[in-house]
Amino acid sequence: MSDEIAIGVDLGTSYSCVAVVQDGQPMVIPNEWGELNHASCVSFLDDGSVLVGNAAKKNIIAAPEATVYSAKRLIGRYFFSDEVKKAQAVMPYTIVEGDNNAVRIQVHGQTYSLPEISALVLKEMKAVAETYLGREITKAVVTVPAYFNDNQRQATKDAGRIAGLEVLRILNEPTSAALAYGFGRDVNQRVVVYDLGGGTFDVSILEIGKDVFEVLSTAGDTYLGGDDFDDRIMTWLAEDFLAKTRLDLRQNKYCLQMLKDAAERAKIDVGQKGTADILCQGICQDANGNVMDLRNTLSNDQFNRMVMDLVQRTFKVCDEALQSARLSASEIDAVILVGGPTRLPIIRNSVKHYFQKEPLEGINPDQVVALGACLQAHALLDAHAETFLVDVTPLSLRIGTVGGYTEKVIEKNTPVPIDRSKTFTTSRDGQEKVKIRVYQGESNRAEECEMLGEFEFSGFRIGYRGDVKIEVTFEIDTNGMVNVSACDVETGQKTTTTLTLSSGMSETDIQRSIDATRQIQLAGHSSDLPSVA
């Protein structure tokens, strides 16, 4: 057994969590104030230092333009995507376009990539662990939504590198939760992990045997989460205030942030107490300069009507996962709930109704993913570990063909790692090179899939159209990330590429970010390592 330590990090949309295995048991690591969950929030201060975590979240209202949150919803996406357009409409910070259609955040005249923002959250998790354990931490398993595509996984791995962490594995969040659930138990069950986080929803179906965790299927929606529940309350509050005062709070980003904060608190209160009394003091001024308050009451029935369509969207995803696994809800032995929003009675009751069984009690939905991640991290460092994990690729992998179409090479929910080849031919006489475009998605139309990247292959034999055969091989590793190679079948001429275009960061960009991040002082943390106890 190595004396190395690797941590597990649940890098969430709203909150992040870090855990480690000590004395054979997984545990969530507290910060110096005893906090176990940390807001995935980064606030850039005027003096050049950076606040990360719960302290940064307090700046959402005080300094909204300089405080970045929900960045996970944007990581690995293209600037022209619908998700980015939606974020631009509601986020107080500035979202701009970078090279290769990448998304950048602009604060105090500086631009940051999404991996750099996530790296600051990971760096904070690293610092929390180092302070508690009294030693340097350089290795981690980091979790992502099961339905993240290759772009998003690569960008997350880049974030780990920038933060000074060797990412041993990118692990799917539902799979991680199942690892934590199955740890130390002698169970033989089919389980569903219903994972509703702040910004994403995933469901995975797993077969758990002794030390074997096999994912049968996964499905998800990377733009559905607790934030959307907050948005519904915000809209209701704003429209009610508009009807009463003829003032639209949504036109002012400061007011919008007060609304968001009030909506999140109301969601929690209505879940815990069945009603929420909402008060935003001094939210705005009327035309005569009079300071106005916002007061309202949200009942459980009102809230349920507000969000029921969002809840139903999660069960369409559950339908898809069950169909892929060729199972019915009655064949599921246990249901694990993951993510803070699953504490809401409407979620728990709806899940119980859909699966016809009570969700498992005694599992902390905020911490179970981090606990599973640290168990996997521990197993990867232990040569004698017996845990065997079989995951799947969540999306079909495709290659672009003529006419704007795609052809499937690897089916979604195929166990990984895997490699698969397909042979194509040249499309015109005398062709000297081919452009190979790689997509993920379920449509045969290229425009309806996510393009992971493209590369050119040349040096093959020149011949007539259809005469030259080119074999394209896809490899998906245990992180769910894609490598592609092309080979001239006749001559053996070959080229290989790793599709890393999608995160918008070249190797030079990453090295520059590593150097820049080293200079950033996380407020509240010493730049020196703590003394080893």
Side-chain angles (χ1 to χ4, degrees):
M1 174 71 187
S2 168
D3 63 353
E4 278 191 295
I5 292 180
I7 55 175
V9 181
D10 173 10
L11 182 62
T13 304
S14 300
Y15 288 90
S16 293
C17 189
V18 58
V20 71
V21 172
Q22 281 202 313
D23 300 322
Q25 296 295 317
M27 62 161 287
V28 175
I29 301 173
N31 64 10
E32 53 260 59
W33 300 283
E35 296 167 331
L36 299 176
N37 299 310
H38 315 274
S40 301
C41 194
V42 178
S43 185
F44 296 87
L45 306 184
D46 292 337
D47 65 3
S49 63
V50 175
L51 279 174
V52 180
N54 299 329
K57 187 174 182 182
K58 297 172 184 175
N59 272 8
I60 288 177
I61 292 176
E65 297 88 358
T67 305
V68 183
Y69 59 91
S70 293
K72 184 175 173 179
R73 281 190 153 184
L74 302 175
I75 196 167
R77 296 192 185 275
Y78 291 110
F79 184 76
F80 52 75
S81 68
D82 290 338
E83 294 84 358
V84 174
K85 290 175 185 173
K86 179 181 177 183
Q88 283 180 302
V90 299
M91 292 304 181
Y93 51 84
T94 303
I95 301 170
V96 298
E97 185 175 5
D99 295 337
N100 301 322
N101 299 306
V103 181
R104 295 286 186 267
I105 307 296
Q106 192 170 71
V107 183
H108 296 325
Q110 296 285 323
T111 57
Y112 301 89
S113 67
L114 270 301
E116 287 175 299
I117 299 295
S118 291
L120 291 170
V121 178
L122 287 173
K123 191 176 180 182
E124 174 74 7
M125 297 302 98
K126 181 178 186 287
V128 167
E130 289 177 338
T131 299
Y132 182 86
L133 298 169
R135 61 186 291 179
E136 185 181 15
I137 300 296
T138 60
K139 299 178 188 295
V141 166
V142 180
T143 64
V144 297
Y147 224 57
F148 257 22
N149 61 35
D150 184 80
N151 295 1
Q152 295 163 308
R153 291 169 190 271
Q154 182 63 55
T156 304
K157 196 162 190 179
D158 289 346
R161 284 186 61 194
I162 294 166
L165 289 167
E166 177 190 347
V167 179
L168 300 175
R169 182 161 181 178
I170 296 290
L171 183 62
N172 289 339
E173 289 162 7
T175 307
S176 186
L179 284 173
Y181 164 69
F183 176 72
R185 294 166 174 253
D186 187 12
V187 296
N188 193 339
Q189 293 180 329
R190 283 194 190 115
V191 303
V192 161
V193 181
Y194 179 103
D195 183 357
L196 182 63
T200 59
F201 174 70
D202 286 307
V203 61
S204 290
I205 301 173
L206 298 95
E207 188 98 53
I208 301 178
K210 183 172 175 55
D211 299 323
V212 177
F213 296 77
E214 182 181 0
V215 180
L216 302 180
S217 71
T218 194
D221 186 333
T222 57
Y223 220 84
L224 172 62
D227 288 356
D228 299 293
F229 289 61
D230 298 346
D231 288 348
R232 293 294 172 84
I233 301 175
M234 287 172 62
T235 299
W236 171 72
L237 287 172
E239 290 181 350
D240 184 73
F241 193 80
L242 177 64
K244 292 174 179 174
T245 67
R246 297 187 178 180
L247 296 173
D248 191 349
L249 297 170
R250 291 165 293 190
Q251 300 305 309
N252 182 293
K253 289 192 174 182
Y254 176 82
C255 299
L256 200 60
Q257 286 313 301
M258 289 189 71
L259 273 180
K260 180 169 180 59
D261 189 53
E264 185 179 0
R265 281 187 276 108
K267 177 185 68 180
I268 294 169
D269 286 348
V270 81
Q272 292 176 345
K273 299 182 291 189
T275 187
D277 294 319
I278 302 165
L279 171 61
C280 295
Q281 290 183 312
I283 193 167
C284 69
Q285 292 180 333
D286 64 14
N288 299 318
N290 299 313
V291 176
M292 305 187 71
D293 298 336
L294 180 150
R295 297 176 186 270
N296 220 319
T297 300
L298 177 64
S299 71
N300 188 58
D301 287 344
Q302 282 176 298
F303 175 71
N304 290 352
R305 287 194 297 272
M306 233 177 253
V307 302
M308 183 52 76
D309 65 308
L310 298 176
V311 177
Q312 292 303 321
R313 270 174 65 187
T314 72
F315 294 116
K316 290 180 181 177
V317 177
C318 292
D319 288 343
E320 183 184 335
L322 285 168
Q323 289 167 10
S324 292
R326 294 180 173 84
L327 294 172
S328 65
S330 63
E331 293 175 282
I332 299 300
D333 299 311
V335 181
I336 302 168
L337 297 183
V338 177
T342 62
R343 286 191 169 91
L344 292 169
I346 188 175
I347 297 295
R348 289 187 168 266
N349 293 334
S350 299
V351 168
K352 176 186 174 182
H353 178 76
Y354 180 89
F355 289 102
Q356 293 298 297
K357 54 182 58 66
E358 289 280 359
L360 290 167
E361 297 288 339
I363 296 174
N364 188 313
D366 295 318
Q367 299 171 9
V368 65
V369 170
L371 292 170
C374 78
L375 286 167
Q376 179 67 9
H378 184 70
L380 290 172
L381 294 183
D382 184 359
H384 303 292
E386 296 180 353
T387 301
F388 186 60
L389 176 61
V390 181
D391 219 326
V392 298
T393 179
L395 297 158
S396 297
L397 210 55
R398 298 172 171 273
I399 192 166
T401 57
V402 294
Y405 289 91
T406 67
E407 187 163 336
K408 190 185 300 180
V409 180
I410 297 179
E411 183 86 34
K412 71 174 182 177
N413 289 319
T414 299
V416 294
I418 187 175
D419 63 83
R420 193 155 291 173
S421 301
K422 201 144 193 148
T423 301
F424 299 87
T425 61
T426 49
S427 58
R428 64 177 186 273
D429 294 345
Q431 192 168 341
E432 297 181 352
K433 60 185 178 182
V434 292
K435 185 172 287 187
I436 296 173
R437 290 191 175 96
V438 182
Y439 296 87
Q440 270 181 319
E442 307 314 315
S443 173
N444 64 353
R445 296 286 304 177
E447 62 189 18
E448 295 173 3
C449 295
E450 181 86 3
M451 190 172 86
L452 300 183
E454 63 179 38
F455 68 103
E456 285 189 347
F457 177 41
S458 59
F460 50 82
R461 180 177 67 84
I462 298 173
Y464 293 110
R465 171 187 175 185
D467 190 33
V468 180
K469 293 182 172 59
I470 297 167
E471 185 179 73
V472 179
T473 301
F474 289 84
E475 296 177 48
I476 306 179
D477 64 18
T478 53
N479 296 306
M481 290 161 61
V482 182
N483 295 308
V484 185
S485 62
C487 177
D488 180 341
V489 173
E490 184 177 326
T491 67
Q493 175 72 22
K494 187 175 183 179
T495 186
T496 303
T497 186
T498 302
L499 296 178
T500 57
L501 303 175
S502 46
S503 74
M505 299 191 77
S506 66
E507 184 62 29
T508 302
D509 291 334
I510 292 171
Q511 290 300 327
R512 189 182 301 119
S513 295
I514 290 171
D515 293 339
T517 304
R518 285 186 184 133
Q519 304 304 314
I520 293 177
Q521 178 65 44
L522 297 183
H525 288 287
S526 168
S527 58
D528 297 321
L529 272 173
S531 300
V532 177

